[in-house]
């Protein structure tokens, strides 16, 4: 079987671990494995090169993606999809594995309407916002990166008895904010999945101060409906009559050596993708749910909204009391 593999959209730590598992397990099971460079655009530009076991040496521990990534507008068009179909067929590919987030699953779903090759997706995004897997590849590392930064911010916040608003990534999803907020004892967590007014936030912060808290951390997901951390800080400061500090963590969350959790998840999903292909299972995203490896139709991964843990959500006020 001739398999192409690519990474698309925002990179996430341990994408490399997935590429390594796909390549090595694929080759050991008598497949030819080719890397596509630059995401879906790499198919259109024919940046496709064969990988061998040594091409994926010394990458297990590295963040980013050796295949490089991108967001292709051309690939989304009918002409782009037809061109990609022709290139994949002309070059004799039987299958394509793409690692990425919801945009990547959309891309595979669209390509499946034109190309009759076998398609498999792997969930690679720090946002953890795909249904069909408990965790996405890179989420754990991103949360740990943010956690390390927040622990440091807590030190300086305590030294000055300050209120800090810390913005984390997550354009449409609050999973990073939620996990890092719970794990650092934040007084409030603002996420797109929940609605918090400035009045409610001001009340939480004032109440925390009244309970003699020496520092107050508010974690803000970049996609919160109230705006970004700077916008919220302005409104909050006016409301409570006290200036707050803002720290935007940004891209440091997306880089660095993947955690053991992400390396294992990526390795399992990469190997499973090959086993699925060879066993005749395709047309969906592989994921791990309750410890079981499963495949979910592409469309379900973004149309079924993955919920935050409602029980933990209900505990937030008690935990930060
Ligand atoms: O989807 C992953 C993500 O890191 C989001 O959390 C963030 O909003 C977005 O990508 C940033 O995208 P870009 O890399 O295009 O700036």
């Amino acid at each position: 079987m001739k398999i192409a593999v690519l990474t698309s959209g925002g990179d996430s730590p341990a994408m490399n671990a997935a590429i390594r598992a796909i390549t090595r397990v694929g080759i050991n099971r008598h497949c030819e494995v080719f890397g596509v460079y630059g995401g879906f655009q790499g198919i259109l530009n024919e940046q496709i090169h064969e990988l061998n076991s040594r091409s994926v040496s010394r990458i297990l521990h590295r963040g980013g993606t050796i295949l490089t990534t991108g967001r292709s507008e051309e690939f989304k068009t009918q002409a782009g999809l037809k061109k990609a179909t022709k290139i994949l067929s002309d070059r004799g590919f039987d299958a394509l594995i793409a690692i990425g987030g919801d945009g990547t699953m959309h891309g595979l779903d669209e390509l499946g309407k034109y190309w009759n090759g076998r398609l498999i997706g792997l969930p690679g995004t720090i946002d953890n916002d795909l249904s069909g897997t408990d965790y996405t590849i890179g989420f754990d590392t991103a949360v740990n990166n943010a956690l390390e930064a927040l622990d440091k911010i807590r030190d300086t916040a305590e030294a000055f008895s300050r209120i800090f608003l810390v913005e984390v990534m997550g354009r449409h999803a609050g999973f990073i904010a939620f996990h890092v907020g719970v794990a650092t004892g934040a007084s409030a967590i603002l996420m797109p999945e929940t609605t918090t007014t400035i009045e409610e936030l001001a009340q939480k912060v004032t109440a925390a101060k009244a309970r003699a808290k020496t520092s107050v951390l508010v974690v803000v997901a970049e996609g919160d409906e109230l705006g970004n951390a700077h916008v919220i800080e302005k409104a909050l400061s006016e409301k409570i009559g006290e200036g707050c500090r803002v720290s935007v963590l940004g891209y440091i969350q997306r880089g660095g050596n993947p955690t053991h959790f992400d390396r294992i998840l990526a390795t399992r999903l990469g190997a499973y993708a090959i086993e699925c292909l060879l066993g005749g299972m395709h047309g969906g995203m592989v994921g791990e749910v309750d410890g079981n490896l499963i495949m979910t139709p592409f469309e379900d991964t973004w149309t079924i909204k993955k919920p935050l843990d409602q029980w933990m959500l209900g505990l937030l006020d008690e935990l930060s009391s």
Side-chain angles (χ1 to χ4, degrees):
M1 189 180 291
K2 191 168 171 179
I3 302 169
V5 54
L6 62 81
T7 49
S8 166
D11 53 289
S12 67
M15 276 182 162
N16 282 328
I19 296 165
R20 172 180 176 270
I22 289 165
T23 305
R24 291 201 175 156
V25 175
I27 290 170
N28 276 294
R29 312 262 172 119
H30 313 293
C31 301
E32 291 173 272
V33 182
F34 286 72
V36 178
Y37 292 76
F40 287 113
Q41 188 66 40
I43 302 176
L44 303 177
N45 298 346
E46 297 204 51
Q47 287 169 327
I48 306 170
H49 305 285
E50 187 161 9
L51 300 172
N52 60 41
S53 292
R54 292 288 70 74
S55 334
V56 293
S57 291
R58 301 183 306 280
I59 65 167
L60 181 58
H61 62 292
R62 282 175 50 199
T65 159
I66 59 157
L67 295 179
T68 67
T69 185
R71 293 191 171 98
S72 170
E73 286 309 316
E74 186 187 353
F75 182 79
K76 288 182 192 157
T77 65
Q78 207 182 62
L81 288 160
K82 281 185 180 162
K83 186 175 169 191
T85 298
K86 185 167 175 353
I87 291 168
L88 290 169
S89 301
D90 287 355
R91 294 187 62 144
F93 282 104
D94 302 293
L96 171 69
I97 301 175
I99 311 164
D102 58 344
T104 306
M105 301 310 139
H106 269 280
L108 287 170
D109 198 41
E110 284 303 310
L111 183 61
K113 293 173 187 163
Y114 296 82
W115 190 47
N116 62 9
R118 302 172 186 193
L119 299 168
I120 289 197
L122 255 76
T125 165
I126 62 166
D127 293 346
N128 197 32
D129 58 348
L130 288 169
S131 285
T133 192
D134 289 338
Y135 296 104
T136 55
I137 296 164
F139 169 70
D140 186 64
T141 307
V143 170
N144 280 305
N145 286 342
L147 192 71
E148 207 183 310
L150 261 128
D151 286 344
K152 290 174 179 157
I153 290 169
R154 178 70 88 180
D155 290 345
T156 175
E158 277 183 359
F160 274 98
S161 298
R162 273 176 175 155
I163 302 164
F164 261 88
L165 279 87
V166 183
E167 184 181 300
V168 298
M169 275 183 157
R171 215 170 0 204
H172 307 295
F175 287 97
I176 298 177
F178 185 44
H179 280 239
V180 85
V182 172
T184 56
S187 294
I189 308 172
L190 305 184
M191 306 168 273
E193 292 87 346
T194 57
T195 314
T196 311
T197 62
I198 283 293
E199 288 71 25
E200 285 164 343
L201 179 61
Q203 199 271 329
K204 277 183 197 234
V205 168
T206 315
K209 284 243 152 183
R211 289 195 304 274
K213 285 217 153 193
T214 49
S215 62
V216 177
L217 290 184
V218 176
V219 177
V220 181
E222 63 177 328
D224 188 68
E225 73 285 350
L226 282 179
N228 65 31
H230 286 286
V231 172
I232 298 171
E233 187 276 331
K234 200 167 174 299
L236 180 65
S237 300
E238 272 168 26
K239 198 100 209 146
I240 62 175
E242 178 181 341
C244 312
R245 291 293 192 271
V246 172
S247 205
V248 177
L249 300 189
Y251 292 93
I252 58 160
Q253 291 162 93
R254 225 159 72 176
N257 297 357
T259 59
H260 114 274
F261 180 91
D262 277 330
R263 296 183 202 194
I264 299 281
L265 177 66
T267 300
R268 277 164 66 77
L269 294 181
Y272 184 57
I274 296 292
E275 293 197 345
C276 285
L277 283 178
L278 294 175
M281 228 167 103
H282 51 93
M285 184 194 83
V286 291
E288 188 176 314
V289 174
D290 295 333
N292 300 311
L293 296 174
I294 60 161
M295 185 176 286
T296 303
F298 294 125
E299 209 180 317
D300 291 355
T301 65
W302 73 85
T303 51
I304 300 173
K305 189 133 177 68
K306 186 163 161 182
L308 293 175
D309 181 336
Q310 295 301 310
W311 178 65
M312 281 294 283
L313 204 54
L315 289 175
L316 285 185
D317 286 342
E318 285 176 79
L319 291 172
S320 63
S321 61

